[in-house]
Amino acid sequence: MAVNSVAGLLKSADELFSTQEERDNAKRSYVIDLPAAEISDFPDHPFKVRMDESMVELADSVRRHGVLVPSLVRPMPNGGYQMVSGHRRKWACELAEIPTVPCIVRELTDDEAIIVMVDSNLQREQVLPSEKAFAYKMKLEAMKRQGQRTDLTLSPVATKLDSAAALGKQSGESRDQVFRYIRLTNLIPEILDMVDNSVLKEPGKLTMALRPAVELSYLSEQEQKTLLETMTVEDCTPSHTQAIKIRKFSEEGKLNAEVILSIMQEEKPNQVEQFKLPRSRIDKFFPAGTPAQKIEDTIVKALELYRRRQREMER
């Protein structure tokens, strides 16, 4: 039998030891260096690309070693490409003044792209609550469009084939935790930033835990803005118990600025009595943007110096 005939009868090793899905993916995927200008960002991308120390380190690594892991993009019908996974790598290339970005090009539907984008970005070392909130919501909506059972109202009672539970299992979260994160998408940006700052710990900024933030997500936009004004003036955020009270008054149609202030001024468990001083009385003594903790420390030191001098005068 001729060699060509034998070769025609035998399957390649790739065909013997790969699945049909893998062979199909191989046909529709390839690697290429693309100019950054040809790659558009993913629409409503929920994961923030921040110019922080980590980005500086990534840009330096790309400058010295190149991009070690290609980004994932998909071709668009009207030309160009859309970033699916690799927004930080693209920005690092731009910072390092590297003209092209190594990319895996793959044909993906809109919903396939959303699911891949969410899953790949959830592997980051630090994912903010707001990022999880919008990412989980986007993925559940994509799962629904793909025909998978889902309850986007996320009722408190779990059901069979509940995709919130399935999503949580994939992400290492409980179903209830997925529910809590998605509720955060109903917060106004200023309050949602406080939840993020519980992770970022930026000096001088208010922080809020997840559970009270979930309760506050049930308030109307105007009620949240009124609450924000009170939190800014009082320089504090509500505890979980206080947030539950605020939500209850809202549901009863009795929530207003006076009620919010009354609840916020309640003494919290184990709270040390505090002396409050209006910021307007001391702002002239400090540069704009001075963190609250630094202001407090300065005032305490000034009082200690004053007491010391008073004692010296009494001698």
Side-chain angles (χ1 to χ4, degrees), residues 186 188 191 216-226 250 255:
N186 295 284
I188 61 175
I191 296 180
L216 300 178
S217 72
Y218 290 92
L219 305 185
S220 69
E221 181 178 348
Q222 185 54 53
E223 287 172 334
Q224 291 185 46
K225 289 181 178 179
T226 303
S250 173
L255 190 65

Side-chain angles (χ1 to χ4, degrees), residues 26-241:
K27 291 178 182 177
R28 62 176 185 170
S29 299
Y30 56 93
V31 179
I32 187 174
D33 288 341
L34 294 173
E38 293 185 15
I39 309 172
S40 61
D41 291 339
F42 200 91
D44 300 320
H45 192 250
F47 298 93
K48 299 168 182 165
V49 180
R50 296 182 291 277
M51 187 58 199
D52 52 16
E53 184 179 348
S54 176
M55 175 57 70
V56 173
E57 291 175 354
L58 179 59
D60 184 57
S61 174
V62 167
R63 188 179 294 109
R64 288 184 289 112
H65 307 295
V67 177
L68 302 180
V69 180
S71 299
L72 176 64
V73 301
R74 62 173 183 148
M76 301 306 292
N78 297 326
Y81 301 85
Q82 185 182 85
M83 184 67 75
V84 177
S85 174
H87 290 77
R88 295 181 76 251
R89 278 163 279 173
K90 175 189 172 186
W91 196 11
C93 286
E94 293 173 344
L95 291 173
E97 298 183 345
I98 295 176
T100 60
V101 183
C103 297
I104 299 172
V105 179
R106 180 175 300 169
E107 296 282 351
L108 294 168
T109 66
D110 290 348
D111 292 328
E112 287 173 340
I114 287 173
I115 292 172
V116 172
M117 179 273 296
V118 171
D119 289 347
S120 60
N121 281 281
L122 285 175
Q123 306 305 314
R124 289 184 182 182
E125 183 176 344
Q126 183 186 78
V127 181
L128 298 178
S130 65
E131 295 174 329
K132 284 188 177 183
F134 287 100
Y136 285 167
K137 184 176 181 179
M138 289 178 71
K139 184 173 178 179
L140 279 177
E141 290 172 346
M143 292 167 67
K144 180 183 180 182
R145 288 190 294 267
Q146 286 186 329
Q148 301 183 37
R149 181 185 175 90
T150 182
D151 177 11
L152 293 180
T153 62
L154 289 175
S155 64
V157 181
T159 58
K160 291 182 178 179
L161 302 177
D162 188 329
S163 37
L167 192 159
K169 186 176 181 181
Q170 295 169 10
S171 307
E173 310 266 19
S174 69
R175 176 192 184 275
D176 288 345
Q177 195 73 341
V178 169
F179 165 70
R180 294 184 188 108
Y181 277 117
I182 292 179
R183 279 301 318 174
L184 299 183
T185 62
N186 295 284
L187 291 172
I188 61 175
E190 295 86 350
I191 296 180
L192 186 54
D193 285 344
M194 296 179 188
V195 187
D196 280 347
N197 201 45
S198 66
V199 176
L200 295 172
K201 306 292 184 185
E202 294 184 6
K205 292 189 177 181
L206 291 173
T207 64
M208 185 180 298
L210 178 64
R211 298 297 288 273
V214 170
E215 298 296 331
L216 300 178
S217 72
Y218 290 92
L219 305 185
S220 69
E221 181 178 348
Q222 185 54 53
E223 287 172 334
Q224 291 185 46
K225 289 181 178 179
T226 303
L227 172 62
L228 176 63
E229 292 176 4
T230 303
M231 289 190 292
T232 302
V233 172
E234 294 295 306
D235 196 28
C236 65
T237 58
S239 66
H240 189 207
T241 300

